[in-house]
Amino acid sequence: MSILLEKVTYVYQSGTPWQKTALCDVSLAIKKGDCVGIMGRAGAGKSTLLAVLNGLLKPQKGRVIVDGIDVTSLPAHKMAFLRQKVGLVFQFPEEQFFAPTVYEEISFALHNAGFTRGEVERRVKDAMDKVGLDYASFKERSLYTLSSGEKRRVGLATVLALKPQYLLLDEPTAALDYEGREKIYAIIREANKRGTTVIIVAHNLEHLANVCNRIIILEEGRVALDLQLEELALYAEEMERLGIYPPFHHQVVHKLQKKGLDINIYIKTREEAACAVKKLFPSLQEGE
Ligand SMILES: Nc1ncnc2c1ncn2[C@@H]1O[C@H](COP(=O)(O)OP(=O)(O)OP(=O)(O)O)[C@@H](O)[C@H]1O
Ligand SMILES: [Mg+2]
């Protein structure tokens, strides 16, 4: 089970003087269970890529295959099925809220999908539980009375309630404080642990490296780098050219290697980096 993109090209306002190629010949395979971070400069095509994956935009060229189904040729009435399977959380989901209360907002798509009242209630409760919103105290709350972090969690619950196999998130922590961000990443990590394949667009690699096993960097609508987490230090210079800096611990092992030291740079975590450094300098004490 996977998502495959085969030479996908998406052009906005095609055939007009304002035409803009946002994705150009993109081929990718996203495996079930992956947690993939998508990065790149503003305008690189990240949001367009998510919209193409979720069927919101139909590429002019190429194919998108989700679990063996070519979704680029799905008829319009089958699109709802795709949106349930591949859930997209927009950058500011709160901008699209329209229901008066939390319960009504989360349940709207479930009613549309044809679930019974009992199943709708079960799913709303479950989704609110997953995002850490207490059902009894939040279900009747007006959306306007929520904090930004709570609103973002309602947006996430709306998509999680559909139980998507693929969860796409466009800058899910933009404009949130440290605590709000950590909560969102904890929910994403948990969804991925339970088997949901996750694709996150974000601008901070330090944050992504804590949850993702793979990082894809787009440049002007093309895939410039497609790296496993342990390859970040190896490609530090190429990444900097693309305006992206590896997490501090990857930079440390990269710099030590550049100085000619024999250090293992295939590291994922801070702990692995610390281990590699300690191997080089065995006299270093714990905490140094
Ligand atoms: N509706 C549209 N009409 C014309 N051009 C568009 C439209 N939407 C996006 N674009 C252009 O397509 C390119 C890719 O846009 P996209 O929103 O995918 O970039 P992004 O990588 O998500 O950027 P950001 O980091 O700023 O969110 C940009 O040059 C953008 O100006
Ligand atoms: Mg974007």
Side-chain angles (χ1 to χ4, degrees):
M1 295 287 121
S2 60
I3 295 187
L4 297 174
L5 274 90
E6 293 176 356
K7 293 180 175 269
V8 166
T9 293
Y10 186 84
V11 184
Y12 286 103
Q13 310 205 32
S14 182
T16 74
W18 303 278
Q19 103 170 18
K20 168 78 197 174
T21 303
L23 294 176
C24 187
D25 234 8
V26 173
S27 294
L28 280 176
I30 311 277
K31 287 197 312 294
K32 189 106 191 115
D34 260 354
C35 186
V36 183
I38 309 276
M39 302 193 72
R41 290 193 169 95
K46 304 176 298 293
S47 298
T48 308
L49 178 66
L50 295 191
V52 160
L53 290 175
N54 158 270
L56 208 58
L57 297 177
K58 198 176 162 83
Q60 286 85 355
K61 281 196 211 148
R63 301 199 304 164
V64 179
I65 298 167
V66 177
D67 293 348
I69 299 168
D70 179 358
V71 300
T72 27
S73 57
L74 265 189
H77 69 277
K78 293 258 174 80
M79 275 313 198
F81 153 82
L82 176 68
R83 304 262 161 74
Q84 266 188 54
K85 204 176 178 62
V86 185
L88 172 59
V89 183
F90 292 100
Q91 183 170 356
F92 294 107
E94 55 272 30
E95 284 174 2
Q96 289 168 26
F97 288 165
F98 60 93
T101 65
V102 170
Y103 186 92
E104 282 166 278
E105 185 66 36
I106 301 175
S107 63
F108 181 79
L110 298 170
H111 285 300
N112 267 0
F115 293 110
T116 61
R117 272 182 62 170
E119 178 63 11
V120 169
E121 195 179 331
R122 257 193 304 280
R123 282 181 176 236
V124 174
K125 267 188 190 154
D126 181 49
M128 287 179 66
D129 189 44
K130 279 183 185 142
V131 301
L133 292 173
D134 178 61
Y135 183 73
S137 43
F138 276 93
K139 68 176 173 144
E140 298 299 342
R141 282 277 295 273
S142 155
L143 290 159
Y144 300 105
T145 66
L146 303 180
S147 74
S148 344
E150 288 162 351
K151 283 183 187 158
R152 206 60 66 79
R153 282 188 271 157
V154 171
L156 195 46
T158 306
V159 173
L160 288 179
L162 287 161
K163 302 193 179 169
Q165 276 133 322
Y166 300 92
L167 179 62
L168 318 180
L169 305 120
D170 200 351
E171 302 193 34
T173 62
L176 290 188
D177 64 7
Y178 170 80
E179 208 174 290
R181 186 176 73 226
E182 287 304 300
K183 276 187 184 143
I184 295 287
Y185 275 115
I187 297 160
I188 296 171
R189 206 176 286 119
E190 192 51 39
N192 183 238
K193 242 197 240 163
R194 282 192 309 262
T196 310
T197 306
V198 176
I199 304 176
I200 319 169
V201 167
H203 282 285
N204 188 313
L205 184 50
E206 196 99 37
H207 302 160
L208 285 180
N210 284 327
V211 280
C212 296
N213 63 305
R214 180 179 170 194
I215 304 291
I216 294 171
I217 304 174
L218 297 181
E219 185 186 31
E220 294 181 7
R222 297 175 187 269
V223 175
L225 284 175
D226 183 351
L227 306 174
Q228 293 299 313
L229 188 57
E230 58 271 29
E231 293 177 315
L232 293 186
L234 196 62
Y235 287 87
E237 276 142 31
E238 284 88 333
M239 291 170 73
E240 283 177 30
R241 185 185 64 75
L242 295 162
I244 289 161
Y245 293 86
F248 183 68
H249 55 286
H250 288 92
Q251 291 186 35
V252 168
V253 292
H254 170 71
K255 292 224 162 86
L256 290 171
Q257 195 210 35
K258 286 280 282 183
K259 289 208 174 297
L261 296 165
D262 180 22
I263 186 166
N264 172 25
I265 63 166
Y266 292 90
I267 49 119
K268 292 182 185 172
T269 61
R270 283 195 191 90
E271 291 70 30
E272 285 174 13
C275 248
V277 171
K278 269 191 207 143
K279 260 198 190 147
L280 270 187
F281 306 106
S283 58
L284 275 181
Q285 298 297 309
E286 202 59 47
E288 278 184 295

